[in-house]
Amino acid sequence: MTTMAHETAAPAAPVVRSAGIRRSELAAFLRSRRERIAPEQVGLPHGTRRRTPGLRREEVAQLSAVGVTWYTWLEQARDIQVSVQVLDALARTLLLDASERAHLFQLAAAVDPTPAASCTGVTPALQEMLHALEPIPACIQNSRYDILAYNRTYARLMCDLDAIPPEDRNCIVLVYTNPDWRRSVVHLEETRRLMAAKLRAAMAGHLAEPAWKMLVKRLTAESPEFCENWERYEVMGLPNTRTKQFLNQHVGLLTMDHTDLWLNPGSGARMVAYVPSDEESRERLEKLYGLALSANS
């Protein structure tokens, strides 16, 4: 019996060594990313008594809303648990690009919950449908309002969506925090309130999921207007069709009918399309499509 127990426990050693190596790599990666960022890049004064390049540990901790001691332990490769929320905050603080973000989560042995990690369900056929709808703006969203895919007209409808990092392509984040997106929405305050109510209704089935909690935490931290609307505890479902107006910076006012095309039986992923409500809006969409083609050529 003793021999069998010994034989069963033996394979655990390589697993322990592997975890230790991964923690060391994570620590080195965090240090390297921290040291390459100038304080001015994250809104901090440079100062005159800075002995090390880049940010200090306490600055990373403060910007990421984590304890200084905890973050120090992370850079010392100590055996501590790291939540996906903290990893997301560190990725934003350290200005990681998509490849670096994926590397961070892989080193931490965690699954990145943001749509930037993987856009499962967006098949080549759906991509082709999005392009075939042009000049009608269309995109694919999930129930959390992450924009998973879009066509060229949609990319220029409310802002330059191609310039937005994939992890920030979320309609609620954009309507509350992106200046260009906000300026394009004609009935902004009403839209914000309705979207907060729809998010709360949709979140009822996802209360324990990290990605949903991360979204609300981020919006609460970045937008007082979201906090105010969120605390109303209003809920609202998603009507299939409604008229919306956008003030596009390139072509002017657009009046369009918003339609949701559900991609599965539940209220999950959907294709969102904006069909022009009048001839003037149709002509302006044609012009916007032409501008989008020119920008991509």
Side-chain angles (χ1 to χ4, degrees):
M1 294 294 291
T2 303
T3 302
M4 290 180 62
H6 177 73
E7 290 175 352
T8 302
V15 176
V16 173
R17 286 197 297 271
S18 176
I21 293 171
R22 188 162 54 237
R23 288 196 303 271
S24 296
E25 287 292 323
L26 175 61
F29 180 65
L30 289 172
R31 285 194 299 271
S32 70
R33 300 303 89 181
R34 170 172 62 83
E35 291 172 356
R36 73 172 182 173
I37 298 175
E40 296 87 349
Q41 290 180 266
V42 292
L44 296 175
H46 188 278
T48 57
R49 304 180 65 181
R50 197 172 281 271
R51 297 179 179 178
T52 57
L55 299 177
R56 300 186 180 101
R57 285 175 175 172
E58 56 267 28
E59 291 170 335
V60 173
Q62 179 184 0
L63 292 168
S64 304
V66 299
V68 176
T69 300
W70 185 92
Y71 180 75
T72 300
W73 287 351
L74 195 58
E75 280 202 8
Q76 290 174 346
R78 296 202 189 187
D79 187 5
I80 57 176
Q81 295 296 316
V82 189
S83 70
V84 293
Q85 291 93 334
V86 168
L87 290 171
D88 177 72
L90 290 173
R92 295 181 189 280
T93 296
L94 298 173
L95 307 178
L96 303 187
D97 62 24
S99 297
E100 291 168 334
R101 180 186 175 96
H103 187 62
L104 173 69
F105 276 81
Q106 188 173 22
L107 289 176
V111 177
D112 189 347
T114 68
S118 65
C119 294
T120 57
V122 182
T123 63
L126 287 173
Q127 292 278 10
E128 184 64 27
M129 288 177 64
L130 288 175
H131 293 308
L133 284 171
E134 307 244 47
I136 292 174
C139 71
I140 294 174
Q141 298 177 18
N142 60 18
S143 56
R144 202 170 53 241
Y145 289 93
D146 296 317
I147 302 170
L148 306 179
Y150 52 90
N151 62 20
R152 286 164 290 193
T153 316
Y154 187 89
R156 297 294 182 272
L157 180 61
M158 287 167 279
C159 69
D160 182 1
L161 195 56
D162 292 333
I164 303 295
E167 61 269 20
D168 293 338
R169 292 174 191 163
N170 175 284
C171 291
I172 299 186
V173 170
L174 292 168
V175 81
Y176 276 101
T177 67
N178 184 277
D180 291 337
W181 193 285
R182 292 200 308 258
R183 281 192 292 267
S184 73
V185 179
V186 174
H187 305 289
L188 179 61
E189 297 311 315
E190 178 188 1
T191 298
R192 283 173 158 179
R193 183 172 176 177
L194 290 175
M195 292 189 74
K198 292 171 188 175
L199 179 66
R200 185 174 284 283
M203 191 171 179
H206 307 273
L207 293 175
E209 296 180 24
W212 288 76
K213 292 190 289 186
M214 284 167 51
L215 175 60
V216 173
K217 183 176 180 180
R218 176 183 180 185
L219 286 164
T220 301
E222 296 183 11
S223 173
E225 295 83 5
F226 175 80
C227 293
E228 180 181 346
N229 287 327
W230 191 247
E231 290 304 315
R232 294 176 184 270
Y233 280 85
E234 295 175 334
V235 293
M236 181 178 180
L238 289 171
N240 282 341
T241 303
R242 55 201 177 280
T243 300
K244 290 189 174 183
Q245 288 186 311
F246 302 102
L247 188 59
N248 183 269
Q249 61 178 322
H250 302 293
V251 300
L253 182 65
L254 295 165
T255 302
M256 296 182 288
D257 295 325
H258 172 135
T259 299
D260 290 320
L261 305 174
W262 301 101
L263 302 181
N264 57 42
S267 57
R270 62 191 181 277
M271 182 177 291
V272 177
Y274 292 101
V275 179
S277 299
D278 52 54
E279 189 58 35
E280 187 174 32
S281 295
R282 186 178 302 278
E283 292 174 358
R284 289 176 176 176
L285 272 184
E286 292 279 0
K287 181 179 178 181
L288 183 61
Y289 176 51
L291 292 173
L293 285 177
S294 299
N296 292 330
S297 61

